[in-house]
Amino acid sequence: MFEGIIHRLWTLMPEARLEVHLLHQTGLDAAVSALMARIDQPAILVGHSLGGTVAMALARRFPERVAGLALVCASPRPPRPTQLTYWTSLLRRLKDGDLVGIVDEIVPSLVGSTTASAYAANHYQTCRRMALNTGAPGLAGQLRIQLDRVDERPALGSYAGPLLAMAADDDCLVPSAAVREISASTPRGEFALIPRATHMAPLTMPGTVASTIGSWLHKNFSHPGINAFTTETQKVE
């Protein structure tokens, strides 16, 4: 999903080292440990949705290893009781073999509030295919990461690095108010709203996302040799 953004960032910043890390682990601690194992120097983490959850958790546990954070459509809040109940029910349904039913239930929320629009229709099948390709074990692992989420706002208050929090104005999963809480919680936080974008903004609007991240990188990391690590999932939230 990050191919378009990676290509554009390389064009903007050919000196940067860019790597993509997919989340295949079960549970937040395991996901953080797997990402840490691949970071050999302080890195700039770019995380979308659940990837942002992992990036914030890594910065909370190992702030010295995170030079900067760029988070897209990520929430710093802990799960609500209704979310815990729903995600637990999805795990039971996955165990019963209802992957297709779950995918068809959640994909409309990924492509925006106007799922009947031509814009949404252009991306519905892509998102559905990504979710199905994740498979039941992969989706179950992501749900367990969701269940492990904590309130990241207190720890963000002591994070000293630059941070960019990007929201999509047609995000049915993560409201812009929640994303604003990320930038408001940290001393060097910045907020950006992506117009006419859904939760899948890195997929549907890679140019806008990349240019926003690129401008932030140039502003805060003007030296060459930027080590940027993106984190993503095959299926988001």
Coordinates of all heavy atoms in Angstrom, one line a residue, residues 5 8-16 18 44 46 69-70 162-166 188 190-192 206-223 226 228:
I5 N 3.6 6.2 -2.1 CA 4.3 7.1 -1.2 C 5.8 7.0 -1.2 O 6.5 7.9 -1.3 CB 3.7 7.0 0.3 CG1 2.2 7.3 0.3 CG2 4.5 7.8 1.2 CD1 1.6 7.1 1.7
R8 N 7.3 8.5 -4.3 CA 7.2 9.9 -4.3 C 8.3 10.5 -3.3 O 8.9 11.5 -3.6 CB 5.8 10.4 -4.0 CG 4.9 10.3 -5.2 CD 3.4 10.5 -4.8 NE 2.5 10.5 -5.9 CZ 2.1 9.4 -6.6 NH1 2.5 8.2 -6.2 NH2 1.3 9.5 -7.6
L9 N 8.4 9.8 -2.2 CA 9.4 10.3 -1.2 C 10.8 10.1 -1.7 O 11.7 11.0 -1.5 CB 9.2 9.6 0.1 CG 8.0 10.0 1.0 CD1 8.0 9.1 2.2 CD2 8.1 11.4 1.4
W10 N 11.1 9.1 -2.4 CA 12.4 8.9 -3.0 C 12.7 10.0 -4.1 O 13.8 10.5 -4.2 CB 12.5 7.5 -3.7 CG 13.2 6.5 -2.8 CD1 14.1 6.7 -1.9 CD2 12.9 5.1 -2.8 NE1 14.5 5.5 -1.3 CE2 13.7 4.5 -1.8 CE3 12.0 4.3 -3.5 CZ2 13.7 3.1 -1.6 CZ3 12.0 2.9 -3.2 CH2 12.8 2.4 -2.3
T11 N 11.6 10.4 -4.8 CA 11.8 11.5 -5.8 C 12.1 12.8 -5.0 O 13.0 13.5 -5.5 CB 10.5 11.6 -6.6 OG1 10.3 10.4 -7.3 CG2 10.7 12.7 -7.6
L12 N 11.4 13.0 -3.9 CA 11.6 14.2 -3.2 C 12.9 14.2 -2.4 O 13.6 15.3 -2.3 CB 10.5 14.5 -2.2 CG 9.1 14.8 -2.8 CD1 8.0 14.6 -1.7 CD2 9.1 16.1 -3.4
M13 N 13.3 13.0 -1.9 CA 14.5 12.9 -1.0 C 15.3 11.7 -1.4 O 15.2 10.7 -0.8 CB 14.0 12.8 0.4 CG 13.0 13.9 0.8 SD 12.5 13.8 2.6 CE 14.0 14.5 3.3
P14 N 16.0 11.8 -2.5 CA 16.8 10.6 -3.0 C 17.8 10.1 -2.0 O 18.3 9.0 -2.1 CB 17.4 11.1 -4.3 CG 17.4 12.6 -4.2 CD 16.2 12.9 -3.4
E15 N 18.2 10.9 -1.0 CA 19.2 10.5 -0.1 C 18.7 9.7 1.0 O 19.4 9.1 1.8 CB 19.9 11.8 0.5 CG 19.1 12.5 1.6 CD 18.1 13.5 1.0 OE1 17.9 13.4 -0.3 OE2 17.5 14.3 1.7
A16 N 17.4 9.6 1.1 CA 16.8 8.9 2.3 C 16.8 7.3 2.1 O 16.8 6.8 1.0 CB 15.3 9.3 2.4
L18 N 14.7 4.2 2.8 CA 13.3 3.9 3.1 C 13.0 2.4 3.1 O 13.4 1.7 2.2 CB 12.4 4.6 2.1 CG 12.5 6.1 1.9 CD1 11.7 6.6 0.7 CD2 12.1 6.8 3.2
I44 N 13.0 7.4 11.6 CA 11.8 8.2 11.5 C 10.7 7.1 11.2 O 10.8 6.5 10.1 CB 11.9 9.3 10.4 CG1 13.0 10.2 10.8 CG2 10.6 10.0 10.3 CD1 13.5 11.0 9.6
V46 N 7.0 6.1 10.0 CA 5.8 6.5 9.4 C 4.8 5.4 9.5 O 5.0 4.3 8.9 CB 6.1 6.8 7.9 CG1 4.8 7.3 7.2 CG2 7.2 7.9 7.7
L69 N 8.3 10.9 14.3 CA 7.1 10.2 14.0 C 6.2 10.9 13.0 O 5.9 12.1 13.2 CB 6.3 10.0 15.3 CG 6.8 8.9 16.3 CD1 6.0 9.1 17.7 CD2 6.6 7.5 15.8
A70 N 5.7 10.2 12.0 CA 4.7 10.7 11.1 C 3.6 9.7 11.1 O 3.8 8.5 10.6 CB 5.3 10.9 9.7
P162 N 10.3 15.5 16.7 CA 9.3 16.1 15.9 C 8.2 15.0 15.5 O 8.5 13.8 15.3 CB 10.0 16.6 14.6 CG 11.3 15.8 14.6 CD 11.6 15.5 16.0
L163 N 7.0 15.4 15.4 CA 5.9 14.5 15.2 C 4.9 15.2 14.2 O 4.5 16.3 14.4 CB 5.2 14.1 16.5 CG 4.0 13.2 16.4 CD1 3.9 12.3 17.7 CD2 2.7 13.9 16.2
L164 N 4.5 14.4 13.2 CA 3.4 14.9 12.3 C 2.2 13.9 12.4 O 2.4 12.7 12.3 CB 3.9 14.8 10.9 CG 2.9 15.1 9.8 CD1 2.3 16.5 9.8 CD2 3.5 14.8 8.4
A165 N 1.1 14.5 12.7 CA -0.2 13.7 12.8 C -1.1 14.2 11.7 O -1.5 15.3 11.6 CB -0.9 13.9 14.1
M166 N -1.4 13.2 10.8 CA -2.2 13.5 9.6 C -3.6 12.8 9.7 O -3.7 11.6 10.0 CB -1.5 13.0 8.3 CG -0.1 13.6 8.1 SD 0.7 13.0 6.6 CE -0.4 13.5 5.3
R188 N 6.5 19.0 20.1 CA 6.9 19.3 18.7 C 5.9 18.7 17.7 O 6.3 18.5 16.6 CB 8.3 18.9 18.4 CG 9.4 19.5 19.3 CD 10.7 19.0 19.0 NE 11.2 19.3 17.7 CZ 12.3 18.9 17.1 NH1 13.1 18.1 17.8 NH2 12.7 19.3 15.9
E190 N 2.8 18.5 15.0 CA 2.2 19.3 14.0 C 1.0 18.5 13.5 O 1.0 17.2 13.4 CB 3.1 19.5 12.8 CG 4.4 20.4 13.2 CD 5.3 20.6 12.1 OE1 4.8 20.7 10.9 OE2 6.5 20.6 12.3
F191 N -0.1 19.2 13.0 CA -1.3 18.5 12.5 C -1.5 18.9 11.1 O -1.3 20.1 10.7 CB -2.5 18.9 13.4 CG -3.8 18.4 12.9 CD1 -4.2 17.1 13.1 CD2 -4.6 19.2 12.1 CE1 -5.4 16.6 12.6 CE2 -5.8 18.7 11.6 CZ -6.2 17.4 11.9
A192 N -2.0 17.9 10.3 CA -2.3 18.2 8.9 C -3.6 17.5 8.6 O -3.7 16.3 8.9 CB -1.2 17.8 7.9
P206 N -1.8 9.0 -2.5 CA -0.4 8.9 -2.1 C 0.4 10.2 -2.4 O 1.3 10.5 -1.7 CB 0.1 7.8 -3.0 CG -0.8 7.7 -4.2 CD -2.2 8.1 -3.6
G207 N 0.0 11.0 -3.4 CA 0.8 12.2 -3.7 C 0.6 13.2 -2.6 O 1.6 13.8 -2.2
T208 N -0.6 13.4 -2.2 CA -0.8 14.4 -1.1 C -0.2 14.0 0.2 O 0.5 14.8 0.9 CB -2.4 14.6 -0.9 OG1 -3.0 15.0 -2.1 CG2 -2.6 15.6 0.2
V209 N -0.3 12.7 0.5 CA 0.3 12.2 1.8 C 1.8 12.3 1.7 O 2.5 12.8 2.6 CB -0.1 10.7 2.0 CG1 0.7 10.1 3.2 CG2 -1.6 10.6 2.3
A210 N 2.4 11.9 0.5 CA 3.9 12.0 0.4 C 4.4 13.4 0.4 O 5.4 13.7 1.1 CB 4.3 11.3 -0.9
S211 N 3.7 14.3 -0.2 CA 4.2 15.7 -0.2 C 4.1 16.3 1.1 O 5.0 17.1 1.5 CB 3.4 16.6 -1.2 OG 2.0 16.6 -0.9
T212 N 3.0 16.0 1.9 CA 2.9 16.5 3.3 C 4.0 16.0 4.2 O 4.7 16.7 4.9 CB 1.5 16.1 3.8 OG1 0.5 16.6 3.0 CG2 1.4 16.7 5.2
I213 N 4.3 14.6 4.0 CA 5.4 14.0 4.8 C 6.7 14.6 4.4 O 7.6 14.9 5.2 CB 5.3 12.5 4.7 CG1 4.1 12.0 5.4 CG2 6.6 11.9 5.4 CD1 3.9 10.5 5.2
G214 N 6.9 14.7 3.1 CA 8.2 15.3 2.5 C 8.5 16.6 3.0 O 9.6 17.0 3.4
S215 N 7.5 17.5 3.0 CA 7.7 18.9 3.5 C 8.0 18.9 5.0 O 8.9 19.6 5.5 CB 6.4 19.7 3.3 OG 6.1 19.8 2.0
W216 N 7.4 18.0 5.8 CA 7.7 17.9 7.2 C 9.1 17.3 7.4 O 9.9 17.8 8.3 CB 6.7 17.0 7.9 CG 6.9 16.6 9.3 CD1 6.7 17.4 10.4 CD2 7.5 15.3 9.8 NE1 7.1 16.7 11.5 CE2 7.5 15.4 11.2 CE3 7.9 14.2 9.1 CZ2 8.0 14.4 11.9 CZ3 8.3 13.1 9.9 CH2 8.4 13.2 11.3
L217 N 9.5 16.4 6.6 CA 10.9 15.8 6.7 C 11.9 16.9 6.4 O 12.9 17.0 7.1 CB 11.0 14.6 5.8 CG 10.3 13.3 6.2 CD1 10.4 12.3 5.0 CD2 10.9 12.7 7.4
H218 N 11.7 17.6 5.3 CA 12.7 18.7 5.0 C 12.8 19.7 6.1 O 13.9 20.3 6.3 CB 12.3 19.3 3.6 CG 12.8 18.6 2.4 ND1 14.1 18.4 2.2 CD2 12.1 18.0 1.4 CE1 14.3 17.8 1.1 NE2 13.1 17.5 0.6
K219 N 11.7 20.0 6.7 CA 11.6 21.1 7.7 C 12.4 20.6 9.0 O 13.1 21.4 9.6 CB 10.2 21.4 8.1 CG 10.0 22.4 9.3 CD 8.6 22.6 9.6 CE 8.4 23.5 10.8 NZ 6.9 23.6 11.1
N220 N 12.3 19.4 9.3 CA 12.8 18.9 10.6 C 14.1 18.1 10.5 O 14.8 17.9 11.4 CB 11.7 18.0 11.3 CG 10.6 18.8 11.8 OD1 10.6 19.5 12.8 ND2 9.5 18.8 11.0
F221 N 14.4 17.5 9.2 CA 15.5 16.7 9.0 C 16.2 17.1 7.8 O 16.2 16.4 6.8 CB 15.1 15.2 9.0 CG 14.3 14.7 10.2 CD1 13.0 14.7 10.2 CD2 15.0 14.3 11.3 CE1 12.2 14.3 11.3 CE2 14.3 13.8 12.4 CZ 12.9 13.8 12.4
S222 N 16.8 18.2 7.8 CA 17.4 18.8 6.6 C 18.7 18.1 6.2 O 19.2 18.3 5.1 CB 17.7 20.3 6.7 OG 18.5 20.5 7.8
H223 N 19.3 17.3 7.1 CA 20.6 16.7 6.8 C 20.4 15.5 5.9 O 19.3 14.9 5.9 CB 21.3 16.2 8.1 CG 20.5 15.3 8.9 ND1 20.3 14.0 8.7 CD2 19.7 15.6 10.0 CE1 19.5 13.5 9.6 NE2 19.1 14.4 10.4
I226 N 18.6 10.5 5.8 CA 17.5 10.2 6.6 C 17.1 8.7 6.6 O 17.1 8.1 5.6 CB 16.3 11.0 6.1 CG1 16.5 12.5 6.4 CG2 15.0 10.6 6.8 CD1 15.4 13.4 5.7
A228 N 14.2 6.5 7.2 CA 12.8 6.5 7.5 C 12.3 5.0 7.4 O 12.6 4.3 6.4 CB 12.1 7.3 6.4

